[in-house]
Amino acid sequence: MSEDLALTPAAERVLEVAGRLFYDNGIHAVGVESIASEAGVTKKTLYDRFGSKDALVTHYLRRRDERYREHVQAVVERRGRMTPTRRLLLVFDALEEWIATENPRGCAFVNAQAELPDAAHPAREVIREQKQWMFDYLRALARDAGVRNPRKLATSLLMLLEGATVTASLGVVPGAVGNAKEVARQLIGAG
């Protein structure tokens, strides 16, 4: 999946700086001049490596998606031998860990979606793919758990995860992810 194998060290710096600035400040608030300057490269280098700001945004989101997928799968798999039902709940643990270290301003994909209203923007497909992956992963975990209707449960769990992410970022409900996990536990038990 990763296109990053061919990135030069300068391109890696650009991508790292862009990712941090886009997430912290918003995509439209950050210009290529500030990215290039902070990465210690020229604008020409940035454009030579990525082609355009739109391509850089797309690359940033793809990289973040890859990191999030790896994180979720690692949390679900690293906890050793768990029941298939417990594995579904570990997705909430993965989200809670991610929010604590990587996501204090909410979901980067939802934030980007709000900033990129043009359905033809190349990053919009990355955003859709990220949410589709999460849904498919939840459905597969639900199927492994022997849930009668894995699609229906995956739909509910995805909505809980997305809602918990937004609510946690706003500080509206203390322990938002934990609360969502409890609702998920009830749904899984009934599923």
Side-chain angles (χ1 to χ4, degrees), residues 100-133:
T101 60
E102 303 284 338
N103 230 39
R105 291 193 62 250
C107 177
F109 303 96
V110 171
N111 295 348
Q113 175 84 2
E115 283 199 71
L116 303 172
D118 180 3
H121 191 288
R124 292 282 297 261
E125 182 60 19
V126 176
I127 296 165
R128 190 201 64 72
E129 288 171 0
Q130 196 280 327
K131 298 306 177 188
Q132 185 66 53
W133 173 81

Side-chain angles (χ1 to χ4, degrees), residues 7-180:
L7 291 182
T8 65
E12 282 290 345
R13 283 194 314 275
V14 167
L15 189 56
E16 180 182 329
V17 167
R20 182 173 37 78
L21 292 176
F22 289 153
Y23 184 76
D24 290 348
N25 302 299
I27 292 166
H28 291 308
V30 176
V32 293
E33 297 85 8
S34 61
I35 295 168
S37 175
E38 193 164 327
V41 301
T42 63
K43 280 185 5 180
K44 181 182 179 332
T45 298
L46 185 149
Y47 285 117
D48 284 349
R49 299 302 183 268
F50 296 98
S52 67
K53 183 179 177 182
D54 288 348
L56 180 57
V57 169
T58 302
H59 213 99
Y60 143 68
L61 289 170
R62 188 161 309 282
R63 167 78 62 90
R64 192 169 180 97
D65 178 30
E66 290 171 359
R67 287 180 39 238
Y68 186 67
R69 290 180 193 208
E70 289 169 5
H71 171 75
V72 170
Q73 290 170 330
V75 169
V76 170
E77 299 304 322
R78 81 168 176 232
R79 300 289 162 89
R81 298 181 77 115
M82 294 277 173
T83 65
T85 300
R86 176 75 179 118
R87 292 177 75 219
L88 273 164
L89 294 173
L90 287 174
V91 174
F92 289 85
D93 295 350
L95 175 62
E96 194 160 44
E97 288 176 19
W98 185 262
I99 287 172
T101 60
E102 303 284 338
N103 230 39
R105 291 193 62 250
C107 177
F109 303 96
V110 171
N111 295 348
Q113 175 84 2
E115 283 199 71
L116 303 172
D118 180 3
H121 191 288
R124 292 282 297 261
E125 182 60 19
V126 176
I127 296 165
R128 190 201 64 72
E129 288 171 0
Q130 196 280 327
K131 298 306 177 188
Q132 185 66 53
W133 173 81
M134 192 74 246
F135 174 76
D136 292 342
Y137 188 66
L138 290 166
R139 187 173 53 192
L141 290 173
R143 195 172 22 253
D144 290 349
V147 171
R148 189 169 23 117
N149 191 338
R151 181 178 189 78
K152 182 177 179 182
L153 180 62
T155 298
S156 296
L157 295 180
L158 181 62
M159 292 170 57
L160 284 169
L161 288 164
E162 292 297 317
T165 303
V166 171
T167 307
S169 73
L170 297 173
V172 174
V173 177
V177 178
N179 282 305

Side-chain angles (χ1 to χ4, degrees), residues 173-191:
V173 177
V177 178
N179 282 305
K181 183 178 176 182
E182 283 308 309
V183 174
R185 187 184 316 276
Q186 294 168 19
L187 288 173
I188 293 166

